Amino acid sequence: NGATRMGANAGMHVNKPLKYGEIESGLDYMYNFQTVTYADQENMYIGTRDLSEHQFMIPFTYNFGLFEKGLPDAEIQLKIGYLGQVNFVSCKGTGILPDYSFNRFSNGGIFGISAYSFSFSNGSKLGFYLDVYRGTWIYKDYYNQECFEMPGSSFMKGRLKYRFK
């Protein structure tokens, strides 16, 4: 089993109005750390593998405005789109571990919601967003192979966002 610990994320995005919403794209950086523990006596895999992952991501979403008449200052948006990733993974292991490989490039669908909660006198705004991503596989070993039902990558991230005037 393995558990990804909370990581760090930063990025810059540009939004461009289009029809009934906005197109959003930019560049994000995400770091996370994961420890995978192996305790399989039958296959003789016993030990731990620490994975350190740096990802550069390019999202491309269409953002639909919600509640525009009732809450125009909040600018609540539903986001749906595509995300491409470039993955840099390093690992250290102890024990008897299965062979592994990494996929340098991955991609998938992204879905989210965002809102601006505070407006400042200079015209800038502060808000938040929450994104959920499900994509192709990054890490492959004996227990996580492409042909399995759930081998892909995923994340959920929330953060503050600031809009300049």
Side-chain angles (χ1 to χ4, degrees):
N1 74 20
T4 302
R5 299 180 184 130
M6 193 173 293
N9 179 280
M12 292 189 70
H13 291 208
V14 175
N15 293 45
K16 180 77 174 159
L18 179 68
K19 290 271 184 185
Y20 303 105
E22 295 179 330
I23 291 178
E24 180 179 347
S25 188
L27 180 64
D28 288 337
Y29 165 78
M30 186 163 54
Y31 170 79
N32 65 62
F33 183 82
Q34 181 174 3
T35 299
V36 180
T37 303
Y38 298 88
D40 185 351
Q41 298 285 344
E42 186 176 320
N43 290 306
M44 308 250 326
Y45 295 133
I46 300 169
T48 61
R49 180 172 285 143
D50 294 327
L51 306 167
S52 178
E53 185 170 22
H54 302 268
Q55 296 174 296
F56 293 93
M57 304 176 289
I58 299 175
F60 187 80
T61 63
Y62 188 79
N63 305 347
F64 300 90
L66 301 175
F67 313 115
E68 291 174 342
K69 289 186 171 61
L71 300 167
D73 292 336
E75 292 185 47
I76 300 171
Q77 295 181 328
L78 188 61
K79 303 165 50 167
I80 188 163
Y82 169 83
L83 180 96
Q85 296 175 299
V86 180
N87 308 299
F88 298 94
V89 183
S90 63
C91 69
K92 295 179 184 173
T94 58
I96 302 169
L97 307 175
D99 290 338
Y100 65 91
S101 64
F102 297 106
N103 191 2
R104 177 66 56 151
F105 302 99
S106 56
N107 62 81
I110 189 163
F111 177 79
I113 189 163
S114 69
Y116 285 104
S117 303
F118 302 101
S119 295
F120 299 102
S121 59
N122 66 359
S124 60
K125 294 184 177 190
L126 180 66
F128 71 92
Y129 73 83
L130 180 68
D131 285 345
V132 178
Y133 166 79
R134 178 68 173 148
T136 56
W137 69 275
I138 296 172
Y139 172 80
K140 181 171 73 170
D141 71 4
Y142 179 79
Y143 303 98
N144 189 42
Q145 298 179 25
E146 289 178 80
C147 60
F148 293 176
E149 186 176 335
M150 298 292 285
S153 59
S154 64
F155 64 74
M156 181 172 68
K157 66 179 177 177
R159 65 179 166 181
L160 294 175
K161 67 180 193 171
Y162 182 81
R163 178 182 281 174
F164 296 97
K165 180 180 177 185

